Amino acid sequence: MRVFVWISLLMSLFYVTSCSTSGAGNSAKNTAPVAKQASYDRDYASMLSGSCTTCHIQGAKNTSKIPAIHGMEKEILFEILKAFKYSEYESGTMEKIAKTFSDEELELMSYYFAEQK
Amino acid sequence: MLNRRSFTKVAVAGAALSMAACAGGKMAKKDGKTVIVIGGGSAGATAAKYIKKADKSINVILIEKNKTYHTCFFSNNVIGGISDLESIEHSYDGLMKNHGIDVMHKMVSKVDAANKMVVLSNGDKLAYDKVVVAPGIDFKWDSIPGHSEAASKNDIPHAYIAGNQTQILRDQLVNMKNGGTVVMIPPTNPFRCPPGPYERASLIAHYLKKHKPKSKLIILDQKEKFSKFGLFKQGWKREYKNVIDWRAKSKGGQVKHIDTATKTIKTANGKTIKADVINLIPAQKAGKLAFDSGLTKGDWCPINFMTFESTLHKDVYVVGDAAIAKKMPKSGFSANSQAKILAIQLVKSLNGKKTMANTRFGNTCYSFINPDYAISVTAAYKGTDKQIAKTSGGLSPMGANATERKALAGTAREWYKGITSDMFM
C-alpha cells in the first residue's frame, strides 16, 4: 500500500503545481517551467508513449480514474512511474506496465509527456 | 507514388484528394505520397490517425464500408441492458476534421499488390504508395454442423461484430419469457477478444438474475479452458451460482449439431437441449479482404513482427485481429497498440529512413462480471524477429475486495473513453 501513499502525494503535488501555474494566468510566464531536454531521444520516447496513450487522453480532466499525464512535470511523472515499477503491490494496471521499462525508458517518457500540452 | 500519370488515370483517388485539399487546405502538396488504410476499426482508425500525425504531408485515405463504427468492446454492456447501442457508436468526423484524413465509405474488393492499387467493388482503382489492411475477422460458418450464415442473420446471432447483431441478441433476450433457456456456444481458439464470450455470459446472467430470475444460461464451450478462467469462475460462483452452467468441451460442451429452425442442440455426449435464445459465436479467420488480396497463410495474415508489413506482399501492411501478431491476444487494445507502432515504421519506410529496431506494445482487457465488479488482464510486449514477446503482466488479484472490484469497473469505463478518443479524436 505504501506505493499508493507515495503516488497520491506526488499526484497532489502535481495538481497544486498545475493549479498555481494556471492561476497565474495564461499571459504570465510559467513559474514552474516544464523540464525540457533538447538532446533526449524524442523519436524513441514517442514510440514508447504509444503504450500510454490508449488510456491516458490528451487534454483530459483530472477527475478521471485514469489521470491526465500530458503536460505533467517531468520529475513528478518520473517518480510516479518508478514508484509503480518498484511496487510489490500489483493490483492495478500500471504496476504491470511500468515493470517492462528500464528506468531510462521511464525517464524518456517523462520528458516526452512533459512537453505535450 | 501517386505521380501525375496515375493521378489522371485514377479518377476516384484524384477526386478524393482534391476534395481533401480543399476542405483542409493543409495538404502540403498535391503530389504527396498516398497511404490507403482499409478498415475503420480499432486497428485501421488508429493507423490512419497516427500515420497522418507522424507526417502531415502524406495523403491518408481511410476506406470503411460503414458510416459509423460500433466498438466490439463494451458491446456486452448493450447485450446485458446496461447501456444502449448508441453508447458504442462512433463517427469518423474527428479523423476528418481534427486530422485531415480523407474518409471514404466504400466497399473494397481487393488489394492488387502487384500494381499497387486498391480495387473498389464498383471497379474503381486507387493507387497507393503503401496500404494498410485492417479487415478484422470473418466467421467459419461451418464450424458447428447445421449452422449457416443465413441462420446467423436473424435467428442465431453471433453478435461478435458489433452493431445490428448486438441489438438482435439484446432484443431476443428482452423478448424471452422468464424461465427461458439461453445457450451460448463460444468458439475454438484463436478468436477475437478471448475473454469476450465470458464477459458476455456474465452480463447476460446479470440481466436474467435481475429481470428473468427463473431463466438459465448454459455455456456449451468448444474448449476446456478460457481467458481469466479462475477470475471468471470465482465471479460466477459469487454472483450467478444458479444462473450460469458452464460445460467444458469434454464435459458435455462439445456441440455435434444445431437445428437452427427449432433452436435444438445435440451435444457429443448424446444430450439434446432446447433453447429459447442461442448465441453461437463461430470459429474465426481473417476478414474476407485478406483472403481476396492473397495476404493469408492458413486462416490469418503473416507479418513482419517489427513492422507489420505482410511477409507475402511488399508495401502492404496487416494489423489488428487479422494479423498473426503472436503472442498478443486479438483485442481492440492490441490492435490500437500495434497500429501506433505500424504508423511509425510505415512512415519511416515511406520516407526512406531506417525502421525502429526496438518496439513496445501494451494490452489490457477489462471484463465486467456485473457493472460494479470488474476483473482484468494486463501485459506489455516487445517486438522481436520471431514474435511479439510478452515482457511483463498479470491478472487482477483473486483476493480483490468489493471496493477494489468496483474501482476497477470505474477504471474500465474510463479506459473506454481513452481508447475511443485515441482511435477517433
Side-chain angles (χ1 to χ4, degrees):
Chain A
M1 289 307 278
R2 252 174 41 208
V3 66
F4 283 123
V5 178
W6 180 218
I7 289 166
S8 308
L9 272 170
L10 287 165
M11 292 295 282
S12 53
L13 179 61
F14 168 67
Y15 296 141
V16 168
T17 313
S18 58
C19 281
S20 65
T21 52
S22 63
N26 291 338
S27 56
K29 272 196 173 174
N30 198 332
T31 50
V34 167
K36 278 202 179 186
Q37 187 171 307
S39 62
Y40 84 93
D41 188 347
R42 196 170 278 105
D43 211 24
Y44 187 60
S46 167
M47 184 279 292
L48 293 173
S49 76
S51 296
C52 314
T53 53
T54 305
C55 308
H56 295 272
I57 305 175
Q58 190 159 7
K61 298 261 188 311
N62 260 316
T63 49
S64 169
K65 281 175 186 295
I66 300 175
I69 55 171
H70 295 81
M72 192 182 250
E73 266 197 62
K74 182 252 158 187
E75 285 304 330
I76 294 173
L77 183 54
F78 185 35
E79 288 305 318
I80 292 171
L81 289 172
K82 278 191 293 184
F84 277 125
K85 178 179 172 180
Y86 294 106
S87 162
E88 283 174 21
Y89 192 66
E90 287 202 18
S91 88
T93 301
M94 278 309 302
E95 292 91 337
K96 298 179 186 97
I97 299 270
K99 279 186 176 47
T100 198
F101 299 109
S102 69
D103 285 8
E104 290 72 25
E105 287 173 330
L106 294 179
E107 185 163 31
L108 280 180
M109 284 189 264
S110 306
Y111 278 122
Y112 180 80
F113 281 109
E115 285 184 357
Q116 310 292 312
K117 288 285 135 54
Chain B
M1 173 160 172
L2 194 64
N3 56 29
R4 208 165 286 152
R5 191 169 49 88
S6 57
F7 201 84
T8 47
K9 205 163 84 180
V10 185
V12 176
L17 290 173
S18 55
M19 254 170 62
C22 287
K26 288 175 193 160
M27 209 66 85
K29 44 185 182 225
K30 221 156 99 181
D31 60 347
K33 288 175 179 167
T34 295
V35 174
I36 300 178
V37 180
I38 310 168
S42 197
T46 309
K49 172 177 156 178
Y50 277 84
I51 289 165
K52 190 74 181 176
K53 269 179 83 149
D55 184 345
K56 292 205 172 15
S57 76
I58 298 172
N59 307 310
V60 180
I61 302 172
L62 174 64
I63 310 177
E64 159 59 44
K65 64 180 172 188
N66 296 315
K67 288 265 155 68
T68 60
Y69 182 73
H70 292 90
T71 59
C72 246
F73 41 96
F74 272 58
S75 66
N76 289 331
N77 280 277
V78 179
I79 293 165
I82 295 147
S83 50
D84 58 20
L85 198 59
E86 254 179 42
S87 70
I88 57 165
E89 185 176 17
H90 300 268
S91 89
Y92 293 95
D93 291 355
L95 292 179
M96 291 189 273
K97 287 176 190 157
N98 304 342
H99 300 280
I101 291 162
D102 183 12
V103 180
M104 296 170 65
H105 298 293
K106 303 266 185 196
M107 280 292 288
V108 173
S109 48
K110 67 169 187 174
V111 173
D112 175 358
N115 295 306
K116 297 186 83 166
M117 293 274 185
V118 169
V119 183
L120 300 180
S121 59
N122 63 5
D124 286 346
K125 291 177 179 178
L126 288 94
Y128 64 79
D129 292 288
K130 285 185 184 284
V131 65
V132 178
V133 178
I137 56 156
D138 198 356
F139 297 106
K140 294 179 175 178
W141 297 109
D142 57 357
S143 62
I144 301 284
H147 189 47
S148 66
E149 184 174 4
S152 78
K153 292 269 188 265
N154 293 304
D155 301 334
I156 317 281
H158 54 75
Y160 227 62
I161 293 172
N164 185 37
Q165 279 276 316
T166 312
Q167 194 61 51
I168 292 171
L169 180 56
R170 172 66 192 155
D171 292 344
Q172 287 192 3
L173 291 168
V174 169
N175 295 329
M176 188 184 79
K177 64 176 188 238
N178 184 9
T181 300
V182 182
V183 173
M184 171 188 276
I185 306 173
T188 48
N189 292 322
F191 62 99
R192 155 182 288 184
C193 189
Y198 310 97
E199 177 192 63
R200 174 177 298 177
S202 306
L203 296 180
I204 289 174
H206 170 73
Y207 170 73
L208 296 178
K209 187 178 163 183
K210 217 166 146 187
H211 298 282
K212 289 168 185 172
K214 291 184 202 157
S215 310
K216 268 193 322 188
L217 168 59
I218 301 170
I219 306 171
L220 299 174
D221 215 325
Q222 307 310 293
K223 304 181 288 301
E224 298 300 326
K225 267 188 94 172
F226 53 84
S227 168
K228 299 182 219 173
F229 191 70
L231 286 166
F232 272 114
K233 296 280 274 183
Q234 182 189 50
W236 292 351
K237 204 171 161 190
R238 278 180 182 146
E239 304 291 325
Y240 309 121
K241 214 173 154 200
N242 301 314
V243 188
I244 295 180
D245 173 2
W246 177 77
R247 301 177 192 176
K249 182 186 178 186
S250 64
K251 301 225 165 73
Q254 190 175 4
V255 176
K256 209 171 130 192
H257 186 266
I258 180 169
D259 184 328
T260 56
T262 60
K263 295 190 177 169
T264 308
I265 296 158
K266 283 199 172 22
T267 62
N269 68 345
K271 295 247 164 56
T272 300
I273 300 167
K274 176 84 180 73
D276 296 286
V277 174
I278 301 176
N279 175 211
L280 193 168
I281 306 165
Q284 295 162 23
K285 58 184 178 182
K288 188 171 180 294
L289 176 65
F291 287 88
D292 293 347
S293 306
L295 295 167
T296 52
K297 192 176 173 187
D299 289 333
W300 308 96
C301 304
I303 49 153
N304 176 315
F305 296 109
M306 296 303 294
T307 62
F308 291 86
E309 187 166 7
S310 166
T311 57
L312 303 174
H313 289 295
K314 198 176 175 300
D315 295 322
V316 181
Y317 293 68
V318 186
V319 62
D321 289 347
I324 301 170
K326 61 178 183 187
K327 306 280 186 159
M328 294 186 85
K330 295 186 186 301
S331 76
F333 198 131
S334 291
N336 165 273
S337 178
Q338 292 161 10
K340 285 185 261 190
I341 298 299
L342 174 152
I344 293 171
Q345 303 290 44
L346 181 149
V347 171
K348 281 191 185 293
S349 170
L350 194 60
N351 292 331
K353 292 190 181 142
K354 204 165 167 279
T355 55
M356 279 199 170
N358 191 347
T359 55
R360 303 302 188 89
F361 306 85
N363 179 60
T364 295
C365 289
Y366 297 97
S367 302
F368 290 100
I369 300 291
N370 69 38
D372 291 327
Y373 184 164
I375 57 179
S376 73
V377 61
T378 296
Y381 300 86
K382 188 179 168 81
T384 70
D385 292 342
K386 302 242 157 33
Q387 63 175 22
I388 301 177
K390 187 173 155 184
T391 53
S392 67
L395 296 158
S396 58
M398 288 287 281
N401 63 34
T403 312
E404 289 164 330
R405 299 188 311 244
K406 191 173 177 176
L408 197 61
T411 306
R413 284 184 280 269
E414 292 296 331
W415 166 81
Y416 185 83
K417 290 182 203 160
I419 186 168
T420 50
S421 161
D422 202 30
M423 286 163 62
F424 294 115
M425 294 311 290

